[in-house]
């Protein structure tokens, strides 16, 4: 792969003519080389590879594709410009140049928070978003290679479920710590020191400084920015994570062997929320907390006095929407009361706003909310809560239905809106007639139907940009498909397409022999998750085939 090939697009290439699999493969190849350079301690080599990636056509094309096809593609910045045509996207690729680049200020909007306060959100212009996405391609491999092992927020292939599984691992046993320091950083994104970021973030310093000093526009007035990285920028979560990376290493150095001795110190972090376990309240308060305060002060950050506290595991604490508490020595992770209230309030608001809507439309609005919330809590002890939520939703819907027909009897209202399905008598459902005389039944999802499945935590050292971990992530992806209803349906179609036979040895795929699913064109090379790009195979086939090939040679 030559630098000339990567540096510019083929002459006259249009947006629709780009080979995205090839683009993805080239970018992933450079990212893998950056990871290898960092692992070998060759930081100048990594810097040169970052420069090559940020000046390549493949990197620029992928950056434009990301910002022009994501959820915020129709939300403009202060220049009110969108890239919504192939022609504008093609020109956008050519415009991503370092020389002469001057970022526009952000458009600030205020997002309401649960506590009644507001969170400032900065919306960059499309070109600034694309430039951030481009430099993120070069920065993320380094961030993933040097990240804290138990940091789970805003990182690829990691989620809140991994953080919950780690919390369970460090708190569930009888010998584990019983005291927890709940840490929350006050205005993390808004208060990070610019000097610290410029000195320590391994990326183009001139570009980074321009972003940090761009300022923002609020109510047609320009405000300068002296600290912080704006919430809303594509690269901001990675900058915040890299700012907080090193917390675990600092604590391990300050308190050597504390993890295994009587101090029982462990750290779990999700973005700017974290917990630190310890042997006693006094030790956490007098030794650990001052060390954390000193670590944050270097970065211009402080702990929130309202949200930072030390709790005994018998009393429990809330973390990422869950309540973690030991009952008679057994740790249970359940949806928190505040999270349940917020969920029911959202459902109530939707129902109240659609008093005159058709039943099928209301079902279409509620099902994504119910499905998303239930899936989020599907790996914790939430079955009882799911039943409680189903009951509360039924009460809301019954009131909605009765209100629509004040002159009808209870029996008539029930028969109109609630159907019998199997042993269930009160299923909120309706039938819609389609063209050609066909009918389709629309049924409200019940959260209690969501199975509780234990989440398998990601390995701490796993790096999605390291080729050595590609097989591991491929296997996790296949297991995730098996756990979802849609994934199982897709696997069944693939199994039928292969006539029930292994793609390698052409023997029947059954429950008796271990099997897995893999991409024909690897995701690292731009392959998709479509059924035509997947195949089912016996786990031992590749090794057996490789052994046979070597033996024949």
């Amino acid at each position: 792969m030559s630098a000339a090939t990567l540096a510019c697009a083929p002459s006259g290439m249009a947006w629709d003519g780009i080979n995205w699999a090839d683009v993805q493969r080239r970018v992933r190849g450079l990212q893998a080389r950056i990871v290898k350079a960092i692992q070998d301690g060759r930081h100048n080599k990594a810097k040169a590879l970052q420069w090559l990636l940020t000046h390549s056509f493949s990197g620029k094309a992928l950056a434009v594709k990301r910002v022009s096809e994501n959820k915020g593609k129709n939300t403009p910045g202060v220049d009110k410009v969108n890239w919504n045509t192939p022609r504008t996207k093609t020109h956008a690729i050519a415009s991503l140049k370092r020389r002469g680049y001057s970022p526009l200020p952000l458009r600030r909007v205020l997002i309401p928070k649960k506590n009644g306060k507001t969170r400032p959100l900065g919306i960059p212009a499309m070109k600034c978003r694309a430039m951030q996405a481009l430099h993120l391609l070069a920065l993320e491999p380094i961030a993933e290679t040097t990240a804290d092992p138990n940091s789970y927020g805003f990182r690829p292939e990691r989620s809140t479920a991994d953080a919950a599984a780690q919390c369970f691992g460090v708190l569930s046993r009888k010998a584990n710590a019983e005291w927890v320091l709940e840490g929350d950083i006050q205005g993390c994104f808004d208060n990070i020191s610019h000097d610290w970021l410029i000195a320590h973030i391994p990326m183009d310093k001139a570009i980074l400084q321009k972003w940090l000093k761009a300022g923002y526009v609020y109510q047609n007035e320009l405000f300068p920015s002296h600290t912080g990285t704006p919430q809303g920028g594509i690269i901001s979560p990675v900058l915040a994570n890299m700012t907080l990376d090193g917390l675990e290493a600092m604590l391990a150095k300050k308190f050597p062997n504390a993890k295994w001795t009587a101090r029982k110190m462990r750290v779990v972090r999700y973005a700017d929320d974290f917990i630190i376990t310890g042997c006693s309240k006094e030790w956490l308060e007098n030794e650990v907390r001052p060390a954390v305060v000193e670590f944050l002060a270097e970065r211009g950050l402080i702990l929130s006095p309202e949200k930072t506290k030390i709790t005994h595991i018998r009393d429990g604490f809330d973390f990422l929407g869950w309540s973690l508490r030991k009952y008679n020595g057994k740790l249970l992770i359940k949806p928190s009361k505040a999270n349940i209230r917020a969920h029911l309030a959202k459902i109530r608001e939707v129902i109240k706003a659609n008093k005159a809507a058709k039943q099928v439309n209301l079902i279409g609005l509620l099902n994504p909310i119910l499905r998303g919330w239930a899936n989020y809590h599907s790996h914790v002890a939430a079955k009882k809560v799911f039943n409680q939520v189903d009951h509360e939703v039924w009460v809301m819907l019954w009131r909605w239905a009765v209100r629509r027909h004040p002159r009808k009897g209870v029996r008539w209202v029930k028969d109109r809106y609630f159907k019998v399905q199997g042993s269930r008598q009160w299923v909120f459902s309706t039938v819609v007639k389609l063209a050609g005389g066909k009918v389709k039944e629309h049924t409200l999802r019940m959260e209690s139907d969501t199975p509780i499945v234990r989440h398998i935590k990601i390995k701490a050292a796993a790096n999605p940009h390291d080729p050595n971990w590609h097989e591991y992530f491929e296997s996790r992806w296949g297991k995730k498909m098996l756990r979802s209803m849609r994934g199982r349906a897709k696997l069944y179609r693939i199994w039928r397409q292969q006539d029930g036979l292994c793609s390698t040895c052409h023997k029947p795929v059954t429950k008796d022999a271990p099997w897995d699913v893999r991409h024909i064109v690897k995701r690292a090379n731009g392959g998709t998750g479509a059924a035509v790009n997947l195949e089912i195979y016996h786990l031992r086939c590749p090794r057996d085939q490789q052994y046979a090939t070597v033996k024949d040679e």
Side-chain angles (χ1 to χ4, degrees):
M1 186 190 311
S2 67
T5 304
L6 289 170
C8 60
S11 178
M13 174 174 283
W15 180 262
D16 296 332
I18 297 175
N19 185 336
W20 291 110
D22 188 49
V23 164
Q24 182 76 27
R25 181 170 61 253
R26 292 182 177 187
V27 170
R28 292 297 293 265
L30 280 173
Q31 289 177 324
R33 292 173 64 189
I34 292 173
V35 170
K36 184 67 167 59
I38 293 297
Q39 291 173 342
D40 294 342
R42 302 175 64 189
H43 296 283
N44 288 333
K45 176 69 173 178
K47 186 177 180 180
L49 291 169
Q50 284 182 295
W51 181 274
L52 184 61
L53 177 50
T54 55
H55 288 72
S56 69
F57 168 76
S58 297
K60 294 176 181 179
L62 206 59
V64 172
K65 180 179 175 65
R66 172 174 180 175
V67 302
S68 63
E69 296 182 1
N70 61 11
K71 291 182 179 179
K73 62 183 179 181
N74 296 321
T75 305
V78 292
D79 59 353
K80 300 182 180 180
V81 172
N82 281 332
W83 296 338
N84 47 22
T85 65
R87 182 180 179 84
T88 55
K89 295 175 185 178
T90 304
H91 288 315
I93 296 175
S95 71
L96 299 184
K97 297 179 180 179
R98 183 179 186 273
R99 178 174 295 178
Y101 169 66
S102 180
L104 293 172
L106 290 81
R107 180 167 67 89
R108 171 159 289 193
V109 295
L110 300 179
I111 308 298
K113 298 170 68 173
K114 295 178 182 178
N115 57 8
K117 299 180 181 179
T118 57
R119 175 183 286 112
L121 182 68
I123 302 175
M126 290 295 290
K127 183 175 179 179
C128 296
R129 279 182 242 176
M131 286 292 286
Q132 290 189 20
L134 175 61
H135 283 269
L136 178 60
L137 290 173
L139 179 62
E140 193 174 73
I142 299 179
E144 285 299 301
T145 306
T146 60
D148 284 349
N150 291 303
S151 165
Y152 301 99
F154 303 125
R155 295 181 60 189
E157 305 296 340
R158 284 167 168 78
S159 66
T160 53
D162 294 301
Q166 179 66 10
C167 288
F168 187 85
V170 303
L171 291 170
S172 60
R173 300 180 184 87
K174 187 176 181 180
N176 289 144
E178 296 183 338
W179 290 94
V180 178
L181 169 64
E182 306 169 57
D184 183 270
I185 301 170
Q186 184 171 335
C188 178
F189 282 85
D190 297 327
N191 296 310
I192 300 174
S193 167
H194 284 181
D195 292 338
W196 192 94
L197 286 171
I198 294 169
H200 294 88
I201 299 299
M203 64 169 289
D204 191 317
K205 307 295 185 183
I207 295 291
L208 176 60
Q209 187 167 21
K210 287 180 180 180
W211 285 336
L212 296 177
K213 303 298 182 182
Y216 63 91
V217 173
Y218 181 64
Q219 295 180 345
N220 296 322
E221 186 177 353
L222 177 63
F223 295 87
S225 52
H226 302 291
T227 59
T229 173
Q231 296 188 56
I234 290 177
I235 204 171
S236 296
V238 175
L239 294 179
N241 257 339
M242 296 189 76
T243 302
L244 298 177
D245 283 334
L247 177 63
E248 285 189 61
M250 180 276 297
L251 291 173
K253 183 178 180 180
K254 193 171 185 66
F255 307 104
N257 300 322
K259 184 187 296 185
W260 313 114
T261 58
R263 288 174 172 174
K264 305 175 182 179
M265 183 186 69
R266 303 296 290 269
V267 181
V268 183
R269 180 169 67 84
Y270 189 92
D272 58 342
D273 293 328
F274 61 89
I275 66 166
I276 303 175
T277 65
C279 58
S280 68
K281 182 176 182 179
E282 292 73 18
W283 181 68
L284 289 173
E285 181 67 44
N286 299 328
E287 297 191 45
V288 174
R289 182 166 179 165
V292 174
V293 168
E294 183 181 353
F295 174 85
L296 296 177
E298 296 176 7
R299 293 150 174 81
L301 302 173
I302 60 173
L303 289 174
S304 170
E306 300 174 356
K307 299 180 181 179
T308 302
K309 48 191 174 182
I310 300 175
T311 313
H312 196 280
I313 193 61
R314 285 197 306 268
D315 300 325
F317 62 95
D318 289 353
F319 188 57
L320 302 176
W322 295 301
S323 171
L324 293 86
R325 183 179 174 185
K326 271 190 176 180
Y327 300 85
N328 297 323
K330 182 178 181 180
L331 179 69
L332 290 181
I333 304 178
K334 302 186 293 185
S336 68
K337 292 181 179 179
N339 195 266
I340 297 170
R341 285 196 300 269
H343 178 52
L344 291 175
K346 185 175 183 179
I347 295 172
R348 191 175 295 110
E349 183 180 343
V350 170
I351 295 174
K352 186 177 180 180
N354 291 273
K355 294 178 180 178
K358 293 182 179 180
Q359 185 181 8
V360 63
N361 295 338
L362 183 60
I363 291 173
L365 292 171
L366 291 177
N367 271 346
I369 299 173
L370 297 170
R371 183 187 302 113
W373 194 81
N375 287 342
Y376 182 84
H377 297 288
S378 62
H379 58 277
V380 301
K383 204 66 174 180
K384 185 177 179 181
V385 173
F386 287 166
N387 286 318
Q388 292 172 351
V389 170
D390 284 341
H391 173 72
E392 293 292 336
V393 172
W394 177 87
V395 171
M396 297 178 201
L397 292 174
W398 176 251
R399 290 173 179 169
W400 175 87
V402 169
R403 179 191 172 277
R404 293 163 68 92
H405 306 281
R407 298 184 181 181
K408 297 292 185 180
V410 172
R411 175 62 61 183
W412 186 94
V413 174
K414 178 186 182 300
D415 293 340
R416 173 71 181 271
Y417 294 102
F418 297 89
K419 304 296 185 289
V420 177
Q421 291 183 359
S423 60
R424 290 177 173 173
Q425 302 290 320
W426 292 84
V427 179
F428 194 69
S429 178
T430 186
V431 174
V432 177
K433 292 183 179 179
L434 304 176
K438 296 181 180 179
V439 296
K440 183 178 181 180
E441 187 174 19
H442 293 262
T443 302
L444 186 75
R445 180 185 180 89
M446 298 191 70
E447 293 187 347
S448 55
D449 289 339
T450 303
I452 303 298
V453 180
R454 181 186 176 189
H455 177 79
I456 300 175
K457 189 183 81 71
I458 191 172
K459 291 184 178 180
N463 186 343
H465 298 292
D466 188 344
N468 296 326
W469 289 95
H470 284 175
E471 187 175 339
Y472 170 77
F473 284 108
E474 191 90 352
S475 178
R476 280 182 67 86
W477 187 86
K479 291 181 174 66
K480 185 177 180 180
M481 282 189 66
L482 281 172
R483 290 195 296 269
S484 70
M485 293 294 292
R486 292 182 181 179
R488 287 197 293 270
K490 184 187 290 188
L491 287 175
Y492 179 70
R493 291 201 306 272
I494 300 168
W495 183 78
R496 291 288 299 272
Q497 291 171 6
Q498 297 178 193
D499 296 325
L501 304 178
C502 170
S503 62
T504 303
C505 66
H506 305 292
K507 293 181 180 179
V509 175
T510 65
K511 294 181 179 179
D512 299 329
W515 57 271
D516 208 339
V517 60
R518 63 188 173 195
H519 291 77
I520 298 172
V521 179
K522 301 299 183 185
R523 288 196 296 167
N525 295 332
T528 67
V532 294
N533 191 45
L534 299 173
E535 61 182 8
I536 295 174
Y537 69 102
H538 287 128
L539 282 173
R540 296 187 178 88
C541 284
R543 285 180 292 182
D544 293 344
Q545 187 181 31
Q546 184 180 11
Y547 174 77
T549 303
V550 173
K551 188 176 181 181
D552 291 340
E553 291 176 353

